[in-house]
Amino acid sequence: VSPEEMRNVVEKASVAGHGKLLLTERGTMFGYQNLVADFRSLPIMRAFGCPVVFDASHSLQRPGGLGHASGGDRNFIAPFARAAVAVGVDALYVEVHPHPDRALSDGPTSLRLRDLDALLDDVVKIRSLVGPPGSRRRP
């Protein structure tokens, strides 16, 4: 579903009495075995009045990329998470594992546990510069 089409989801849920939603950007299929995150989707979906979550793990997945299972690009998790916070996302979702190459699921798109503190430090600093989502504060 495109970011613009999420407006319909929000409206239908609201009419049904379920107005408390989180919208998530998880990447869009581009060609074969490649998901791509379009950062324009974050403010587009935020304009619908719901908090927006950026899934920095799934958005870097390569479905079927290993031939027998999905692959991914874990080396881009930190830059994508930092970019999403700079754009104004409300929350991040990041899969973390002490040894991603031994994970039973989603290892290629899991951040190494030892890298989590540095990533969190970075995104907190970025948030302090850009302000909360929807604010007009600029660095």
Side-chain angles (χ1 to χ4, degrees):
V1 175
S2 73
E4 294 83 4
E5 291 171 299
M6 289 303 292
R7 178 187 308 271
N8 299 328
V9 173
V10 171
E11 289 173 359
K12 287 179 182 182
S14 182
V15 167
H18 304 286
K20 293 185 178 183
L21 300 176
L22 295 171
L23 304 180
T24 304
E25 170 60 55
R26 302 181 76 210
T28 301
M29 187 62 90
F30 183 75
Y32 297 105
Q33 302 168 335
N34 196 28
L35 291 178
V36 176
D38 180 352
F39 288 94
R40 296 175 299 176
S41 68
L42 303 173
I44 289 170
M45 290 191 298
R46 188 131 204 323
F48 306 149
C50 296
V52 176
V53 179
F54 180 71
D55 186 337
S57 295
H58 187 274
S59 63
L60 294 165
Q61 191 178 72
R62 293 194 176 264
L66 297 178
H68 63 285
S70 290
D73 296 312
R74 99 169 48 100
N75 56 318
F76 291 113
I77 292 173
F80 272 49
R82 291 190 299 259
V85 171
V87 170
V89 74
D90 294 281
L92 292 171
Y93 179 89
V94 179
E95 292 189 51
V96 179
H97 194 281
H99 305 285
D101 293 330
R102 297 194 318 237
L104 297 178
S105 176
D106 297 329
T109 54
S110 292
L111 185 70
R112 287 181 178 86
L113 181 60
R114 69 176 184 246
D115 297 330
L116 181 61
D117 284 344
L119 174 59
L120 293 176
D121 286 345
D122 286 351
V123 298
V124 167
K125 288 175 189 172
I126 293 166
R127 172 55 64 81
S128 73
L129 289 172
V130 299
S135 74
R136 295 192 177 266
R137 184 175 170 195
R138 298 286 180 246

